[in-house]
């Protein structure tokens, strides 16, 4: 589908205008662009709260000991409406997270800039993962619309 | 024997009553096909759960027409869909950490990349009012833009932003807010970050789309009160029907809403805002008049007029469609795990401590 | 319009006939008449209104004598208010209460009872009410704040003045709650003239009162709301939590209608009030005395 120049221009203006200057808050005040992280490890806890889900993963350090990092995600409610449940993110599921550490670097917290399974698939998108329905199944199927 | 008579008679009496109620409801719904379903008190039934998410911004971008053609809208909406689809694609599981110095992401993503697109649910289409695909919620002024601030308002807003502070930290970090003292105290942070009210005037009034997520609102209607439950931040605004406003000494975060019927339109008048609510810089004298009209079996038309002579040079009005959804609202526990506010404050203190230590 | 009026008249007449028959016949059989509340738009007893409990359950759901304070320390002749609450004096004392628990006993498992006692000792740092966290169910019902029921033919929502907590009472069961929550997932149904609300999907973060009574995430609450007079609801909440208690147990109390002509919920957004408590240490310039 070709997009004409005029449509594209309007689109750029509209889509830019639709992004609020201030969301819930700006991530830039919370996380430090000079402290990038790449973390890998199993989930040990999930806090399904708003507007940020917090996923706790256990990360192995170079010396073999482990530490727990808290990863900031987004609001869970839209995902719940798509059929996501606590089963979708089970304890023990291995995750790969890239992002930036909290500006208070004494805290082991980071934003989940990208949160994926080890094979690079993004979370919650209905395809198979530990505990999720089998490939291709719509996780929302069967929950029905209660009203 | 007497008890048996009582039971049978009671059941018969109750059955007559139940059947009569059912008959009354059915007969009330007859008539013109365009007449909305009505409550027992005769007023239109506005109830339902509505998803306010839309691509239409509050203000019309300069140079845009007021209305999109079906083709234009389809192309733009397809663009959004393509972006969402791209955001869902897998990436490398053996990827490296993102670049030191930031990934260049703008706006709320704060140069640190925010989080994945799959968390978002910002809307997929432009709002349609009277068959028109609108490029702004604002319809008056006719240019689709919020009117200018009054000089007094300009001064007031500037004073809020320039509060004197000893924080002399200068930073080239594009992720940081530039207002002096922006991170000094929790009270300096946006209401949404403090979990006091949803950002983007999501509960309002006026109730606006926030272009991110959780745009669901549920209306429950009774003869004496209409409740608008906003998912974010679990705020229930209760409109007292045919009532008087609270005295001016009583202020509320979402103002004090009183309602009345104007034909088949519910008119809600809200005043008594607090000093802190400050919708787009408004003063406590803000007055919002909302009009809710059912325009289809699964659509309300929501129209709002903003009046605040201390802030804008003239009143302004916007409108958009509220489409019904069968989805459920879920709990929005925000303050109960507000690590983000803690992280923001602690981050600023760490920055200051490091700056002091390096002197 | 006219058919609607005729229908309405039919309703009134039928209801009146029903009431007359019921009241004429029932006393003769020796039973006191059950209160018959006016019907709402859903044909059910109308629970719309502003209600409030009038008891001391939020201090302690069991029978208790007055206590010097909610946080105590050992004194030379008995417990004294702990230092952080000493300045409140009598305002910080716990009023006496006849409990709301049937049988006045909370059947804790032994290890859970130890946790309750630890909760009570650590009340100041552990009671979620202090941080203005969502209160859970049934504590939300008997906090010293009114709540409002909005009930129509298609929905029931309960709005609590405390922290603006809300409960959307689903009228169709959507299945198990997808994730745990503070206020739980409420599913409502009618049993005769009683609204029965089945609440599941709790997390383990709320308490039942300021005395440290608590639960696990296995909590299951069944509430019953029955209008027993023009301005009273008989309220019951049955608690089931096999991880914490050895059997189900029940709380019972009247809820009273707030009858002031202008009765309405006001703002109690206590989140703002606890910012100094929770984040004061992170101010650029912490507040000093």
């Amino acid at each position: 589908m070709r997009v004409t120049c005029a449509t594209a221009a309007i689109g750029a203006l509209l889509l830019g205008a639709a992004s609020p200057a201030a969301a819930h808050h700006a991530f830039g005040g919370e996380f430090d662009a000079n402290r990038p992280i790449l973390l890998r490890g199993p989930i040990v806890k999930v806090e399904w709260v708003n507007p940020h889900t917090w996923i706790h993963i256990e990360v192995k350090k170079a010396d073999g000991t482990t530490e727990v990092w808290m990863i900031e995600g987004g609001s869970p409610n839209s995902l719940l409406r798509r059929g996501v449940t606590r089963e979708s993110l089970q304890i023990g599921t291995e995750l790969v997270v890239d992002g930036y550490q909290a500006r208070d670097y004494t805290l082991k917290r980071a934003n989940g800039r990208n949160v994926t399974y080890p094979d690079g698939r993004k979370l919650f998108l209905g395809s198979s993962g530990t505990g999720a329905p089998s490939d291709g199944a719509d996780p929302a199927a069967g929950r029905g619309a209660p009203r | 024997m007497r008890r048996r008579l009582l039971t049978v008679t009671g059941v018969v009496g109750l059955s007559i009553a139940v059947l009569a109620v059912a008959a009354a409801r059915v007969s009330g719904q007859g008539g013109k096909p365009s007449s909305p379903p009505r409550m027992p008190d005769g007023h239109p039934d506005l109830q339902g759960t509505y998803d306010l998410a839309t691509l239409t911004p509050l203000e019309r971008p300069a140079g845009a027409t007021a209305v999109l053609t079906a083709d234009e809208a389809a192309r733009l909406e397809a663009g959004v869909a393509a972006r969402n689809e791209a955001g869902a694609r897998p990436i490398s599981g053996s990827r490296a950490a993102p670049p030191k110095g930031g990934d260049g992401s703008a706006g709320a993503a704060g140069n640190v990349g925010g989080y994945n697109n799959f968390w978002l649910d910002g809307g997929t289409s432009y709002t349609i009012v009277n068959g028109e695909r609108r490029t702004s919620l604002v319809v008056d002024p006719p240019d689709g833009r919020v009117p200018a601030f009054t000089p007094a308002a300009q001064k007031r807003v500037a004073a809020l932003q320039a509060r004197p502070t000893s924080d002399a930290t200068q930073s080239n970090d594009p992720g940081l807010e530039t207002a002096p003292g922006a991170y000094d105290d929790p009270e300096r942070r946006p209401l949404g970050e403090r979990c006091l009210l949803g950002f983007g005037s999501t509960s309002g009034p006026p109730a606006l789309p926030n272009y991110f997520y959780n745009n669901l609102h549920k209306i429950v209607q009774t003869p004496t009160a209409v409740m608008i439950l906003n998912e974010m931040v679990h705020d229930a605004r209760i409109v007292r029907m045919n009532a008087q406003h609270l005295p001016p000494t009583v202020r509320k975060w979402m103002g004090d809403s009183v309602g009345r019927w104007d034909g088949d339109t519910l008119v809600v008048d809200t005043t008594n805002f607090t000093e802190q609510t400050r919708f787009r810089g408004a003063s406590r004298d803000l007055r919002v008049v909302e009009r809710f009209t059912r325009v289809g079996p699964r659509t309300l038309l929501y129209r709002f007029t903003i009046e605040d002579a201390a802030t804008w040079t003239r009143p302004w009005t916007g409108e958009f469609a509220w489409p019904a959804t069968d989805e459920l609202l879920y709990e929005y526990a925000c303050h109960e795990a507000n690590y983000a506010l803690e992280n923001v404050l602690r981050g600023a203190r760490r920055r200051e401590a490091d700056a002091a230590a390096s002197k | 319009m006219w058919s609607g009026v005729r229908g309405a008249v039919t309703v009134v007449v039928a209801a009146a006939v029903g009431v007359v028959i019921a009241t004429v016949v029932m006393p003769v059989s020796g039973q006191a008449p059950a209160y018959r509340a006016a019907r709402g738009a859903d044909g059910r007893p109308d629970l719309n209104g502003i209600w409030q409990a009038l008891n001391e359950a939020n201090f302690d759901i069991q029978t208790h004598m007055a206590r010097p304070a909610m946080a105590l320390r050992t004194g030379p002749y008995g417990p004294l208010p702990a230092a952080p609450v000493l300045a409140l004096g009598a305002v910080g004392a716990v009023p006496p209460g006849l409990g709301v628990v049937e049988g006045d006993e909370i059947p804790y498992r032994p290890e859970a009872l130890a946790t309750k006692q630890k909760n009570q000792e650590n009340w100041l740092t552990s009671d979620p009410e202090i941080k203005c966290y969502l209160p859970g169910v049934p504590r939300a019902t008997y906090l010293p704040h009114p709540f409002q029921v909005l009930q129509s033919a298609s929905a029931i929502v309960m709005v609590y003045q405390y922290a603006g907590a809300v409960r959307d009472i689903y009228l169709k069961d959507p299945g198990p709650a997808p994730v745990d929550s503070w206020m739980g997932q409420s599913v409502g149904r009618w049993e005769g003239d009683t609204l029965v609300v089945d609440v599941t999907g709790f997390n383990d973060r709320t308490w039942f009162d300021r005395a440290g009574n608590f639960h696990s995430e296995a909590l299951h609450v069944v509430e019953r709301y029955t209008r027993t007079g023009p301005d009273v609801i008989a309220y019951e909440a049955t608690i089931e939590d096999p991880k914490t208690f050895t059997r189900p147990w029940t709380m019972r109390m009247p809820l009273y209608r707030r009858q002031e002509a202008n009765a309405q919920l006001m703002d109690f957004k206590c989140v703002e009030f606890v910012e100094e408590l929770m984040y004061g240490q992170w101010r650029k310039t912490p507040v000093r005395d």
Side-chain angles (χ1 to χ4, degrees):
Chain A
M1 197 184 296
R2 301 197 122 235
V3 177
T4 65
C5 272
T7 311
I10 294 168
L13 289 171
L14 275 167
L15 295 174
S19 306
H24 156 71
H25 69 98
F27 281 78
E30 197 179 348
F31 301 102
D32 190 343
N34 291 315
R35 291 181 180 265
I37 51 96
L38 191 283
L39 301 171
R40 197 181 293 267
I43 298 173
V44 294
K45 181 175 172 179
V46 183
E47 293 182 76
W48 299 93
V49 286
N50 279 282
H52 297 293
T53 306
W54 286 91
I55 304 172
H56 303 233
I57 61 173
E58 189 176 70
V59 175
K60 206 171 278 184
K61 300 199 293 191
D63 63 4
T65 59
T66 60
E67 59 186 13
V68 175
W69 278 73
M70 288 171 63
I71 306 302
E72 185 178 83
S75 167
N77 290 18
S78 303
L79 296 171
L80 301 183
R81 281 186 273 278
R82 283 182 231 154
V84 166
T85 71
R86 66 175 76 80
E87 311 304 321
S88 310
L89 262 196
Q90 291 192 352
I91 307 297
T93 302
E94 190 89 2
L95 296 180
V96 178
V97 179
D98 71 79
Y100 294 87
Q101 186 170 10
R103 284 187 180 266
D104 183 352
Y105 47 80
T106 65
L107 297 169
K108 293 190 236 328
R109 298 177 183 174
N111 67 309
R113 175 175 175 270
N114 279 303
V115 183
T116 69
Y117 297 111
D119 65 2
R121 278 176 307 113
K122 292 176 182 158
L123 301 186
F124 306 130
L125 293 173
S127 46
S128 58
T130 311
S134 55
D135 231 342
D138 176 2
R143 282 181 62 76
R147 53 167 150 203
Chain B
M1 180 54 194
R2 280 198 182 111
R3 189 167 300 184
R4 196 174 154 77
L5 172 63
L6 144 72
T7 309
V8 169
T9 314
V11 167
V12 169
L14 185 57
S15 305
I16 293 172
V18 167
L19 286 170
V21 168
R25 280 211 226 128
V26 169
S27 63
Q29 284 177 355
K32 305 181 302 224
S34 58
S35 177
R38 293 186 182 274
M39 306 289 278
D41 64 10
H43 295 298
D45 185 344
L46 302 180
Q47 297 180 104
T49 299
Y50 300 94
D51 189 349
L52 272 54
T54 179
L55 296 176
T56 305
L58 176 73
E59 294 188 276
R60 190 175 310 143
T65 53
V67 174
L68 292 171
T69 67
D71 269 354
E72 287 167 336
R75 284 176 197 143
L76 292 167
E77 289 162 9
V80 169
R83 276 220 316 268
N84 287 335
E85 195 270 320
R89 287 192 208 126
I91 55 180
S92 166
S94 48
R95 62 190 180 277
K100 187 168 156 113
D103 67 359
S105 51
N111 195 32
V112 294
Y115 47 57
N116 287 108
N117 190 61
F118 60 70
W119 297 102
L120 298 177
D121 186 15
T124 53
S125 61
Y126 290 88
T127 194
I128 300 178
V129 179
N130 291 336
E132 301 175 340
R133 287 166 186 77
R134 300 288 180 81
T135 56
S136 66
L137 306 187
V138 175
V139 294
D140 183 58
D143 68 355
R145 314 278 306 176
V146 176
F149 270 173
T150 61
Q154 284 168 22
K155 282 205 200 89
R156 187 177 69 232
V157 172
L160 277 173
Q161 289 182 338
R163 194 166 303 177
T165 172
S166 61
D167 180 7
T169 306
Q170 292 305 314
S171 174
N172 295 324
D173 188 328
L176 291 178
E177 294 164 28
T178 52
Y183 302 102
D184 282 5
D185 304 277
E187 294 90 341
R188 300 302 305 276
R189 304 308 304 152
L191 298 180
E193 191 171 302
R194 298 164 69 191
C195 293
L196 286 168
L197 276 181
F199 65 85
S201 194
T202 190
S203 59
L208 299 181
N210 60 57
Y211 308 102
F212 268 65
Y213 42 61
N214 299 355
N215 282 289
L216 265 58
H217 295 59
K218 176 170 172 154
I219 296 180
V220 180
Q221 185 176 339
T222 78
T224 55
V226 174
M227 182 215 63
I228 305 167
L229 173 58
N230 309 289
E231 186 170 56
M232 184 165 81
V233 176
H234 66 70
D235 279 315
R237 183 154 62 101
I238 296 176
V239 179
R240 295 174 297 120
M241 295 302 295
N242 306 307
Q244 299 299 309
H245 275 303
L246 289 166
T249 46
V250 182
R251 320 304 291 193
K252 296 180 83 168
W253 285 92
M254 293 188 286
D256 174 52
S257 294
V258 297
R260 63 180 173 83
W261 287 95
D262 178 10
D264 279 351
T265 293
L266 173 67
V267 181
V268 177
D269 188 356
T270 307
T271 59
N272 296 62
F273 288 91
T274 66
E275 292 286 356
Q276 297 192 65
T277 311
R278 290 206 292 265
F279 167 64
R280 296 183 70 89
S283 77
R284 73 205 294 264
D285 295 328
L286 173 68
R287 178 179 183 216
V288 181
V289 178
E290 301 159 285
R291 298 178 69 90
F292 297 81
T293 313
R294 180 168 289 289
V295 294
R298 287 178 66 81
T299 314
L300 298 187
L301 173 63
Y302 175 76
R303 196 173 157 93
F304 60 93
T305 298
I306 311 296
E307 273 175 51
D308 185 357
T311 303
W312 292 288
T313 49
R314 48 162 284 182
W316 49 282
T317 296
E319 63 183 8
F320 61 112
W322 284 24
T325 173
D326 295 324
E327 298 291 349
L328 297 179
L329 272 72
Y330 291 102
E331 178 171 279
Y332 196 97
C334 181
H335 165 70
E336 287 67 22
N338 196 356
Y339 301 108
L341 178 58
E342 183 194 9
N343 292 341
V344 164
L345 294 172
R346 290 181 67 155
R349 304 293 86 80
R350 176 67 44 199
R351 234 177 18 256
E352 290 152 7
D354 287 353
S358 68
K359 286 203 170 82
Chain C
M1 161 76 170
W2 280 110
S3 61
V5 169
R6 196 181 321 126
V9 169
T10 312
V11 174
V12 170
V13 168
V17 167
V19 167
V20 165
I21 292 173
T23 51
V24 162
V25 174
M26 288 175 89
V28 172
S29 69
Q31 289 178 337
Y35 173 72
R36 187 176 161 75
R39 265 45 198 163
D42 56 0
R44 303 292 190 175
D46 190 350
L47 298 175
N48 276 293
I50 302 187
W51 305 92
Q52 189 164 350
L54 189 63
N55 57 37
E56 300 74 31
N58 189 49
F59 286 98
D60 189 337
I61 53 178
Q62 289 178 287
T63 298
H64 59 277
M65 297 190 301
R67 295 201 278 269
M70 285 173 289
L72 295 169
R73 55 153 299 163
T74 315
Y77 301 98
L80 296 176
V85 299
L86 183 61
L88 290 173
V91 171
V94 176
L98 296 169
V100 298
V101 176
E102 189 178 43
D104 208 23
E105 188 204 331
I106 304 176
Y108 278 108
R109 300 168 67 93
E111 64 278 9
L113 182 57
T115 303
K116 177 255 165 93
Q117 280 152 359
K118 200 158 70 78
N119 286 347
Q120 191 163 26
E121 286 157 27
N122 296 318
W123 173 76
L124 257 181
T125 51
S126 303
D127 185 352
E129 187 192 351
I130 288 177
K131 297 204 172 78
C132 185
Y133 287 163
L134 290 172
V137 176
R139 191 176 189 181
T141 308
Y142 47 82
L143 286 168
H145 290 269
F147 67 95
Q148 185 161 356
V149 177
L150 288 303
Q151 174 189 352
S152 71
S154 50
I156 300 178
V157 175
M158 298 191 183
V159 182
Y160 300 85
Q161 178 173 283
Y162 179 84
V166 300
R167 294 168 62 198
D168 187 1
I169 315 295
Y170 300 151
L171 298 181
K172 275 194 207 140
D173 192 342
V179 295
D180 289 344
S181 62
W182 291 72
M183 302 301 290
Q185 172 176 282
S186 293
V187 179
R189 69 179 189 276
W190 288 90
E191 284 179 11
D193 277 7
T194 295
L195 174 66
V196 180
V197 184
D198 209 296
V199 199
T200 55
F202 287 102
N203 62 31
D204 64 354
R205 304 286 304 279
T206 67
W207 282 9
F208 293 126
D209 58 22
R210 294 174 180 170
N213 288 305
F214 75 106
H215 59 85
S216 79
E217 75 288 343
L219 176 67
H220 173 207
V221 179
V222 179
E223 300 172 294
R224 303 177 71 86
Y225 297 80
T226 311
R227 286 193 55 192
T228 53
D231 303 304
V232 186
I233 291 174
Y235 174 78
E236 261 183 46
T238 297
I239 312 295
E240 200 186 313
D241 179 359
K243 285 191 181 176
T244 312
F245 310 109
T246 56
R247 58 167 172 79
W249 50 281
T250 298
M251 299 184 212
R252 198 169 281 126
M253 66 190 74
L255 303 175
Y256 299 100
R257 186 189 297 279
R258 291 292 299 257
Q259 293 185 272
E260 298 91 326
N262 61 350
Q264 58 192 277
L265 299 186
M266 297 177 72
D267 277 352
F268 189 71
K269 273 190 179 289
C270 44
V271 167
E272 190 194 5
F273 306 150
V274 300
E275 282 181 328
E276 174 61 23
L277 173 67
M278 294 176 69
Y279 307 112
Q281 62 177 311
W282 303 116
R283 293 182 185 281
K284 182 175 167 66
T285 309
V287 175
R288 305 255 183 257
D289 286 335

